[in-house]
Amino acid sequence: MLDYKLYYWDLPFRGVFIEMFLADVGASYALHDASEIYPERSLKIENPGMAPPYLYDWKSKKYFAQLPAIMMHLAREYDYLPKRAETHTLALKILLDCNDVLLEITNYHGMVMWNKNSWDEFRNGRLADWMEIFEKTGLEHGLKAGGGYLLGTTISVADIATAALFGTMVYAFPVLEEDLQENAPHIAQLVKHVEARKPIQAMLERRRVVWERGYCGGQIESSLRKVLGQ
Ligand SMILES: N[C@@H](CCC(=O)N[C@@H](CS)C(=O)NCC(=O)O)C(=O)O
């Protein structure tokens, strides 16, 4: 019997957060195409959600939507949340930050395509600021040269999410590796550290055969590739 069903597209974007977490804790899951729920059944499932990813938890026989909520559900189940009130709250804040970055890099669900000016402004402004926010948070709470984690001395859901966010971004768009190194060198190191954890490494190797360098898909990914010259 499997532990979970994950409904998502054949893309890393939001799904990779969940897959990295499930790999790290050794949970078993089946991948289902998001179209099995979205859009026709979105309102019919228990705990309805607007859009993928959807996680079905076989133990509770419940569906969950909204990436940060899914990550919190898993983190609680597998004890991947910091114990102290401040860092516990920060773990949720980091998940929400990740989701904001995903929304911003897709220019709010691809409402408007990127052009050189708008992208350069975002890349040198808010994207750089986001990277610094993660860096500063890590340095304040546990990240050091050569080791440590974002919120202390043990891995938490915040580390998996941060690695899923920036690791996927720089894998899909290698020119952004320099931005990460410059604005958040300790986060760049954390990404490598988390991606090198054996079960995560094996999962990424397997999935990247399918995903290749894909990111969020659609016209917005094409416009990102165009402005980045990739
Ligand atoms: N806030 C939601 C966003 C969900 C979302 O935008 N899903 C994308 C794929 S990553 C999708 O398929 N959207 C279709 C839609 O919103 O209609 C979450 O964090 O899970």
Side-chain angles (χ1 to χ4, degrees), residues 8-9 11 13-15 34 38 50-53 65-68 70 99 102-103 109 216:
Y8 197 63
W9 312 110
L11 291 163
F13 200 57
R14 283 192 169 86
Y38 175 85
M50 182 58 82
Q66 288 281 19
L67 179 61
I70 293 171
N99 227 22
L102 296 180
L103 198 56
H109 300 295
C216 55

PDB file of all heavy atoms in Angstrom, residues 8-9 11 13-15 34 38 50-53 65-68 70 99 102-103 109 216, ligand 1:
ATOM      1  N   TYR A   8      -0.064  16.055 -10.276  1.00  0.00           N
ATOM      2  CA  TYR A   8       0.626  17.241 -10.779  1.00  0.00           C
ATOM      3  C   TYR A   8       0.899  17.047 -12.258  1.00  0.00           C
ATOM      4  O   TYR A   8       0.605  16.009 -12.837  1.00  0.00           O
ATOM      5  CB  TYR A   8       1.922  17.501  -9.968  1.00  0.00           C
ATOM      6  CG  TYR A   8       2.429  18.907 -10.161  1.00  0.00           C
ATOM      7  CD1 TYR A   8       1.655  19.999  -9.754  1.00  0.00           C
ATOM      8  CD2 TYR A   8       3.652  19.168 -10.764  1.00  0.00           C
ATOM      9  CE1 TYR A   8       2.087  21.305  -9.954  1.00  0.00           C
ATOM     10  CE2 TYR A   8       4.097  20.468 -10.965  1.00  0.00           C
ATOM     11  CZ  TYR A   8       3.302  21.526 -10.556  1.00  0.00           C
ATOM     12  OH  TYR A   8       3.729  22.812 -10.764  1.00  0.00           O
ATOM     13  N   TRP A   9       1.481  18.083 -12.858  1.00  0.00           N
ATOM     14  CA  TRP A   9       1.852  18.018 -14.274  1.00  0.00           C
ATOM     15  C   TRP A   9       3.235  17.397 -14.404  1.00  0.00           C
ATOM     16  O   TRP A   9       3.979  17.308 -13.418  1.00  0.00           O
ATOM     17  CB  TRP A   9       1.867  19.426 -14.886  1.00  0.00           C
ATOM     18  CG  TRP A   9       0.641  20.237 -14.579  1.00  0.00           C
ATOM     19  CD1 TRP A   9       0.562  21.326 -13.766  1.00  0.00           C
ATOM     20  CD2 TRP A   9      -0.694  20.011 -15.064  1.00  0.00           C
ATOM     21  NE1 TRP A   9      -0.732  21.801 -13.712  1.00  0.00           N
ATOM     22  CE2 TRP A   9      -1.519  21.011 -14.498  1.00  0.00           C
ATOM     23  CE3 TRP A   9      -1.274  19.063 -15.914  1.00  0.00           C
ATOM     24  CZ2 TRP A   9      -2.893  21.101 -14.765  1.00  0.00           C
ATOM     25  CZ3 TRP A   9      -2.636  19.156 -16.165  1.00  0.00           C
ATOM     26  CH2 TRP A   9      -3.430  20.160 -15.602  1.00  0.00           C
ATOM     27  N   LEU A  11       6.067  18.357 -14.839  1.00  0.00           N
ATOM     28  CA  LEU A  11       6.961  19.516 -14.724  1.00  0.00           C
ATOM     29  C   LEU A  11       7.466  19.538 -13.285  1.00  0.00           C
ATOM     30  O   LEU A  11       6.763  19.085 -12.391  1.00  0.00           O
ATOM     31  CB  LEU A  11       6.159  20.809 -14.915  1.00  0.00           C
ATOM     32  CG  LEU A  11       5.593  21.128 -16.278  1.00  0.00           C
ATOM     33  CD1 LEU A  11       4.520  22.198 -16.155  1.00  0.00           C
ATOM     34  CD2 LEU A  11       6.721  21.609 -17.191  1.00  0.00           C
ATOM     35  N   PHE A  13       8.199  22.400 -11.276  1.00  0.00           N
ATOM     36  CA  PHE A  13       7.756  23.633 -10.618  1.00  0.00           C
ATOM     37  C   PHE A  13       7.253  23.522  -9.162  1.00  0.00           C
ATOM     38  O   PHE A  13       8.024  23.719  -8.228  1.00  0.00           O
ATOM     39  CB  PHE A  13       6.725  24.305 -11.515  1.00  0.00           C
ATOM     40  CG  PHE A  13       6.541  25.751 -11.232  1.00  0.00           C
ATOM     41  CD1 PHE A  13       7.600  26.627 -11.273  1.00  0.00           C
ATOM     42  CD2 PHE A  13       5.283  26.259 -10.909  1.00  0.00           C
ATOM     43  CE1 PHE A  13       7.435  27.972 -11.001  1.00  0.00           C
ATOM     44  CE2 PHE A  13       5.097  27.601 -10.646  1.00  0.00           C
ATOM     45  CZ  PHE A  13       6.173  28.457 -10.689  1.00  0.00           C
ATOM     46  N   ARG A  14       5.991  23.199  -8.934  1.00  0.00           N
ATOM     47  CA  ARG A  14       5.526  23.037  -7.547  1.00  0.00           C
ATOM     48  C   ARG A  14       5.627  21.590  -7.094  1.00  0.00           C
ATOM     49  O   ARG A  14       5.860  21.320  -5.915  1.00  0.00           O
ATOM     50  CB  ARG A  14       4.078  23.529  -7.383  1.00  0.00           C
ATOM     51  CG  ARG A  14       3.954  25.035  -7.323  1.00  0.00           C
ATOM     52  CD  ARG A  14       2.571  25.496  -6.859  1.00  0.00           C
ATOM     53  NE  ARG A  14       2.574  26.927  -6.576  1.00  0.00           N
ATOM     54  CZ  ARG A  14       2.367  27.880  -7.488  1.00  0.00           C
ATOM     55  NH1 ARG A  14       2.135  27.562  -8.736  1.00  0.00           N
ATOM     56  NH2 ARG A  14       2.404  29.149  -7.145  1.00  0.00           N
ATOM     57  N   GLY A  15       5.497  20.671  -8.019  1.00  0.00           N
ATOM     58  CA  GLY A  15       5.512  19.250  -7.651  1.00  0.00           C
ATOM     59  C   GLY A  15       6.837  18.805  -7.048  1.00  0.00           C
ATOM     60  O   GLY A  15       6.872  17.943  -6.171  1.00  0.00           O
ATOM     61  N   ALA A  34      -2.299  15.677 -13.260  1.00  0.00           N
ATOM     62  CA  ALA A  34      -3.223  16.634 -12.621  1.00  0.00           C
ATOM     63  C   ALA A  34      -4.589  16.643 -13.284  1.00  0.00           C
ATOM     64  O   ALA A  34      -5.601  16.926 -12.632  1.00  0.00           O
ATOM     65  CB  ALA A  34      -2.610  18.020 -12.654  1.00  0.00           C
ATOM     66  N   TYR A  38      -8.044  18.061 -12.083  1.00  0.00           N
ATOM     67  CA  TYR A  38      -8.194  19.459 -12.517  1.00  0.00           C
ATOM     68  C   TYR A  38      -8.567  19.557 -13.987  1.00  0.00           C
ATOM     69  O   TYR A  38      -7.908  18.923 -14.803  1.00  0.00           O
ATOM     70  CB  TYR A  38      -6.885  20.197 -12.267  1.00  0.00           C
ATOM     71  CG  TYR A  38      -6.865  21.609 -12.787  1.00  0.00           C
ATOM     72  CD1 TYR A  38      -7.366  22.653 -12.032  1.00  0.00           C
ATOM     73  CD2 TYR A  38      -6.348  21.883 -14.054  1.00  0.00           C
ATOM     74  CE1 TYR A  38      -7.350  23.950 -12.520  1.00  0.00           C
ATOM     75  CE2 TYR A  38      -6.339  23.185 -14.532  1.00  0.00           C
ATOM     76  CZ  TYR A  38      -6.839  24.202 -13.766  1.00  0.00           C
ATOM     77  OH  TYR A  38      -6.828  25.479 -14.237  1.00  0.00           O
ATOM     78  N   MET A  50      -8.294  24.793  -5.758  1.00  0.00           N
ATOM     79  CA  MET A  50      -8.467  25.455  -7.053  1.00  0.00           C
ATOM     80  C   MET A  50      -7.613  24.853  -8.158  1.00  0.00           C
ATOM     81  O   MET A  50      -8.026  24.758  -9.297  1.00  0.00           O
ATOM     82  CB  MET A  50      -8.149  26.957  -6.885  1.00  0.00           C
ATOM     83  CG  MET A  50      -8.329  27.792  -8.128  1.00  0.00           C
ATOM     84  SD  MET A  50     -10.007  27.706  -8.780  1.00  0.00           S
ATOM     85  CE  MET A  50     -10.867  28.898  -7.760  1.00  0.00           C
ATOM     86  N   ALA A  51      -6.365  24.439  -7.791  1.00  0.00           N
ATOM     87  CA  ALA A  51      -5.447  24.015  -8.855  1.00  0.00           C
ATOM     88  C   ALA A  51      -4.383  23.071  -8.288  1.00  0.00           C
ATOM     89  O   ALA A  51      -4.130  23.070  -7.081  1.00  0.00           O
ATOM     90  CB  ALA A  51      -4.786  25.251  -9.470  1.00  0.00           C
ATOM     91  N   PRO A  52      -3.753  22.272  -9.171  1.00  0.00           N
ATOM     92  CA  PRO A  52      -2.706  21.362  -8.716  1.00  0.00           C
ATOM     93  C   PRO A  52      -1.500  22.107  -8.152  1.00  0.00           C
ATOM     94  O   PRO A  52      -1.272  23.246  -8.553  1.00  0.00           O
ATOM     95  CB  PRO A  52      -2.320  20.596  -9.988  1.00  0.00           C
ATOM     96  CG  PRO A  52      -3.081  21.184 -11.116  1.00  0.00           C
ATOM     97  CD  PRO A  52      -3.959  22.270 -10.613  1.00  0.00           C
ATOM     98  N   PRO A  53      -0.716  21.512  -7.283  1.00  0.00           N
ATOM     99  CA  PRO A  53      -0.725  20.110  -6.874  1.00  0.00           C
ATOM    100  C   PRO A  53      -1.837  19.759  -5.866  1.00  0.00           C
ATOM    101  O   PRO A  53      -2.236  20.579  -5.063  1.00  0.00           O
ATOM    102  CB  PRO A  53       0.645  19.951  -6.196  1.00  0.00           C
ATOM    103  CG  PRO A  53       0.976  21.311  -5.663  1.00  0.00           C
ATOM    104  CD  PRO A  53       0.392  22.261  -6.646  1.00  0.00           C
ATOM    105  N   ALA A  65      -4.740  20.487  -0.954  1.00  0.00           N
ATOM    106  CA  ALA A  65      -4.247  21.351  -2.033  1.00  0.00           C
ATOM    107  C   ALA A  65      -3.512  22.526  -1.405  1.00  0.00           C
ATOM    108  O   ALA A  65      -3.476  22.656  -0.184  1.00  0.00           O
ATOM    109  CB  ALA A  65      -5.417  21.846  -2.883  1.00  0.00           C
ATOM    110  N   GLN A  66      -2.924  23.374  -2.239  1.00  0.00           N
ATOM    111  CA  GLN A  66      -2.111  24.538  -1.862  1.00  0.00           C
ATOM    112  C   GLN A  66      -0.755  24.037  -1.358  1.00  0.00           C
ATOM    113  O   GLN A  66      -0.638  23.465  -0.259  1.00  0.00           O
ATOM    114  CB  GLN A  66      -2.769  25.417  -0.785  1.00  0.00           C
ATOM    115  CG  GLN A  66      -3.959  26.216  -1.289  1.00  0.00           C
ATOM    116  CD  GLN A  66      -3.574  27.474  -2.064  1.00  0.00           C
ATOM    117  OE1 GLN A  66      -2.448  27.620  -2.542  1.00  0.00           O
ATOM    118  NE2 GLN A  66      -4.509  28.378  -2.221  1.00  0.00           N
ATOM    119  N   LEU A  67       0.264  24.322  -2.156  1.00  0.00           N
ATOM    120  CA  LEU A  67       1.603  23.804  -1.844  1.00  0.00           C
ATOM    121  C   LEU A  67       2.060  24.035  -0.390  1.00  0.00           C
ATOM    122  O   LEU A  67       2.505  23.077   0.262  1.00  0.00           O
ATOM    123  CB  LEU A  67       2.623  24.384  -2.845  1.00  0.00           C
ATOM    124  CG  LEU A  67       4.066  23.953  -2.619  1.00  0.00           C
ATOM    125  CD1 LEU A  67       4.235  22.445  -2.737  1.00  0.00           C
ATOM    126  CD2 LEU A  67       4.997  24.669  -3.594  1.00  0.00           C
ATOM    127  N   PRO A  68       1.959  25.266   0.155  1.00  0.00           N
ATOM    128  CA  PRO A  68       2.445  25.440   1.534  1.00  0.00           C
ATOM    129  C   PRO A  68       1.683  24.563   2.536  1.00  0.00           C
ATOM    130  O   PRO A  68       2.271  24.035   3.491  1.00  0.00           O
ATOM    131  CB  PRO A  68       2.223  26.928   1.824  1.00  0.00           C
ATOM    132  CG  PRO A  68       2.180  27.569   0.471  1.00  0.00           C
ATOM    133  CD  PRO A  68       1.537  26.560  -0.433  1.00  0.00           C
ATOM    134  N   ILE A  70       0.256  21.649   1.897  1.00  0.00           N
ATOM    135  CA  ILE A  70       0.699  20.260   1.696  1.00  0.00           C
ATOM    136  C   ILE A  70       2.038  20.043   2.404  1.00  0.00           C
ATOM    137  O   ILE A  70       2.241  19.034   3.100  1.00  0.00           O
ATOM    138  CB  ILE A  70       0.820  19.954   0.178  1.00  0.00           C
ATOM    139  CG1 ILE A  70      -0.569  19.967  -0.477  1.00  0.00           C
ATOM    140  CG2 ILE A  70       1.528  18.618  -0.048  1.00  0.00           C
ATOM    141  CD1 ILE A  70      -0.551  19.885  -1.999  1.00  0.00           C
ATOM    142  N   ASN A  99       6.433  30.150  -2.237  1.00  0.00           N
ATOM    143  CA  ASN A  99       5.268  30.223  -3.129  1.00  0.00           C
ATOM    144  C   ASN A  99       5.139  31.610  -3.767  1.00  0.00           C
ATOM    145  O   ASN A  99       4.733  31.730  -4.923  1.00  0.00           O
ATOM    146  CB  ASN A  99       3.986  29.854  -2.362  1.00  0.00           C
ATOM    147  CG  ASN A  99       3.140  28.860  -3.127  1.00  0.00           C
ATOM    148  OD1 ASN A  99       3.646  28.143  -4.003  1.00  0.00           O
ATOM    149  ND2 ASN A  99       1.862  28.803  -2.821  1.00  0.00           N
ATOM    150  N   LEU A 102       7.581  31.736  -6.628  1.00  0.00           N
ATOM    151  CA  LEU A 102       7.056  30.994  -7.787  1.00  0.00           C
ATOM    152  C   LEU A 102       6.022  31.837  -8.544  1.00  0.00           C
ATOM    153  O   LEU A 102       5.991  31.852  -9.776  1.00  0.00           O
ATOM    154  CB  LEU A 102       6.423  29.674  -7.344  1.00  0.00           C
ATOM    155  CG  LEU A 102       7.357  28.644  -6.692  1.00  0.00           C
ATOM    156  CD1 LEU A 102       6.586  27.384  -6.306  1.00  0.00           C
ATOM    157  CD2 LEU A 102       8.515  28.284  -7.611  1.00  0.00           C
ATOM    158  N   LEU A 103       5.196  32.526  -7.781  1.00  0.00           N
ATOM    159  CA  LEU A 103       4.171  33.362  -8.398  1.00  0.00           C
ATOM    160  C   LEU A 103       4.821  34.526  -9.146  1.00  0.00           C
ATOM    161  O   LEU A 103       4.434  34.862 -10.272  1.00  0.00           O
ATOM    162  CB  LEU A 103       3.241  33.889  -7.290  1.00  0.00           C
ATOM    163  CG  LEU A 103       1.882  34.415  -7.699  1.00  0.00           C
ATOM    164  CD1 LEU A 103       1.100  33.361  -8.468  1.00  0.00           C
ATOM    165  CD2 LEU A 103       1.100  34.841  -6.463  1.00  0.00           C
ATOM    166  N   HIS A 109       1.051  33.912 -12.596  1.00  0.00           N
ATOM    167  CA  HIS A 109       0.369  32.915 -13.442  1.00  0.00           C
ATOM    168  C   HIS A 109       0.438  33.287 -14.929  1.00  0.00           C
ATOM    169  O   HIS A 109      -0.490  32.993 -15.685  1.00  0.00           O
ATOM    170  CB  HIS A 109      -1.102  32.737 -13.045  1.00  0.00           C
ATOM    171  CG  HIS A 109      -1.319  32.277 -11.634  1.00  0.00           C
ATOM    172  ND1 HIS A 109      -0.910  31.047 -11.181  1.00  0.00           N
ATOM    173  CD2 HIS A 109      -1.904  32.884 -10.572  1.00  0.00           C
ATOM    174  CE1 HIS A 109      -1.245  30.922  -9.909  1.00  0.00           C
ATOM    175  NE2 HIS A 109      -1.830  32.018  -9.506  1.00  0.00           N
ATOM    176  N   CYS A 216       8.253  25.659 -15.494  1.00  0.00           N
ATOM    177  CA  CYS A 216       6.837  25.808 -15.160  1.00  0.00           C
ATOM    178  C   CYS A 216       5.930  25.549 -16.356  1.00  0.00           C
ATOM    179  O   CYS A 216       4.714  25.492 -16.210  1.00  0.00           O
ATOM    180  CB  CYS A 216       6.575  27.206 -14.611  1.00  0.00           C
ATOM    181  SG  CYS A 216       7.128  28.511 -15.734  1.00  0.00           S
TER     182      CYS A 216
HETATM  183  N1  LIG B   1      -1.521  28.622  -4.784  1.00  0.00           N
HETATM  184  C1  LIG B   1      -1.560  27.333  -5.446  1.00  0.00           C
HETATM  185  C2  LIG B   1      -1.224  27.583  -6.899  1.00  0.00           C
HETATM  186  C3  LIG B   1      -1.623  26.440  -7.766  1.00  0.00           C
HETATM  187  C4  LIG B   1      -1.241  26.667  -9.215  1.00  0.00           C
HETATM  188  O1  LIG B   1      -1.077  27.792  -9.684  1.00  0.00           O
HETATM  189  N2  LIG B   1      -1.103  25.550  -9.938  1.00  0.00           N
HETATM  190  C5  LIG B   1      -0.676  25.585 -11.315  1.00  0.00           C
HETATM  191  C6  LIG B   1       0.416  24.575 -11.565  1.00  0.00           C
HETATM  192  S1  LIG B   1       1.822  24.962 -10.562  1.00  0.00           S
HETATM  193  C7  LIG B   1      -1.857  25.260 -12.198  1.00  0.00           C
HETATM  194  O2  LIG B   1      -1.985  24.210 -12.774  1.00  0.00           O
HETATM  195  N3  LIG B   1      -2.745  26.255 -12.287  1.00  0.00           N
HETATM  196  C8  LIG B   1      -3.921  26.200 -13.079  1.00  0.00           C
HETATM  197  C9  LIG B   1      -4.923  27.234 -12.585  1.00  0.00           C
HETATM  198  O3  LIG B   1      -4.639  27.973 -11.623  1.00  0.00           O
HETATM  199  O4  LIG B   1      -6.017  27.284 -13.138  1.00  0.00           O
HETATM  200  C10 LIG B   1      -0.544  26.396  -4.772  1.00  0.00           C
HETATM  201  O5  LIG B   1       0.370  26.885  -4.118  1.00  0.00           O
HETATM  202  O6  LIG B   1      -0.671  25.173  -4.840  1.00  0.00           O
END
